[in-house]
Amino acid sequence: MPGSPDLSVLAGDVLDVAPRLLGAHVSHAGVTVRLTEVEAYAGESDPGSHAFRGPTERNAVMFGPAGFLYSYLIYGMHVCANVVTGTPGTASAVLLRAGEVVEGIDVARGRRPGATDRDLARGPARLCRALAIGLDHGGADLTIGPVRLYLAPDRVGPVATGPRVGLRQAAERPWRYWLPGEPTVSVYRPAAPLRRRPRG
DNA sequence: AGGGTGATTAGG
DNA sequence: CTAATCACCCTC
């Protein structure tokens, strides 16, 4: 259910905004997902962020105003989606890591053959697949569409935090946020160490 | 536990 | 141009 279409809260600090996105709804092309897990990326001050080394063609939208979509291709196969936050110049964003399909589940099933309902949007690339979010949607205004974001009108209960998934840089920052107890929260191994440690 | 896949980026 | 890297998912 749509909350407020006013996304001005996204202009705040990304560490405040990220947990507020839990419980928000993302809608596109017949499917709606309720977010259960996100990660904060703090732009040029964050070694884990795509914007750490400054503006490039790919990350340009992150340097713009809040409320736009940053989508990118990872490992030659998968698309991941972020909501741009903060004020122009800050380049911060929130990665949409997982959610529960609350609308259009038959459509989502068709896009994720073989997946269980729990896994339909469990993981950032799976979430994009279930929602049919592609690279073309990068730069889209989330208040106008086609991809729409509806913030949760009220507080959503307890929020858990922990290290972000899959990063080798700044892996210790506890900037992953999720709704504890939700079955749709993604679970993946931490990033592999650069070199194997000597046995011990 | 291991492999697929191709854009993006820095550097010569 | 080359080579390294990569905010992942699937299958074995």
Side-chain angles (χ1 to χ4, degrees):
Chain A
M1 275 292 289
S4 167
D6 175 19
L7 299 184
S8 58
V9 63
L10 299 181
D13 187 280
V14 68
L15 296 186
D16 297 324
V17 173
R20 289 231 34 199
L21 287 179
L22 295 172
H25 286 187
V26 181
S27 290
H28 179 245
V31 173
T32 300
V33 161
R34 169 180 162 263
L35 297 177
T36 56
E37 181 186 7
V38 299
E39 280 175 1
Y41 286 86
E44 291 180 285
S45 65
D46 178 6
S49 169
H50 287 173
F52 179 58
R53 293 167 196 279
T56 65
E57 190 175 343
R58 176 175 67 160
N59 66 24
V61 63
M62 296 178 82
F63 287 82
F68 287 77
L69 190 77
Y70 169 54
S71 65
Y72 66 92
L73 185 71
I74 187 70
Y75 297 117
M77 279 171 274
H78 305 296
V79 174
C80 297
N82 298 250
V83 172
V84 174
T85 68
T87 53
T90 60
S92 53
V94 176
L95 172 68
L96 310 181
R97 277 206 61 88
E100 170 197 7
V101 175
V102 294
E103 205 173 74
I105 193 159
D106 290 330
V107 179
R109 285 173 182 148
R111 292 175 182 153
R112 301 258 309 114
T116 65
D117 286 353
R118 176 199 206 197
D119 282 350
L120 286 174
R122 189 183 195 220
R126 294 162 165 183
L127 182 146
C128 283
R129 187 104 181 152
L131 284 167
I133 291 176
L135 297 178
D136 335 345
H137 300 102
D141 184 336
L142 294 169
T143 63
I144 293 177
V147 183
R148 286 248 191 20
L149 174 67
Y150 304 101
L151 298 177
D154 296 307
R155 291 242 159 243
V156 238
V159 171
T161 69
R164 294 175 290 184
V165 174
L167 294 194
R168 305 209 306 213
Q169 302 295 323
E172 76 290 350
R173 305 190 188 194
W175 290 354
R176 173 180 175 230
Y177 303 84
W178 67 94
L179 298 177
E182 290 285 339
T184 52
V185 170
S186 65
V187 245
Y188 282 112
R189 303 182 292 278
L194 198 53
R195 293 168 190 275
R196 263 177 297 158
R197 282 187 299 167
R199 291 184 301 109

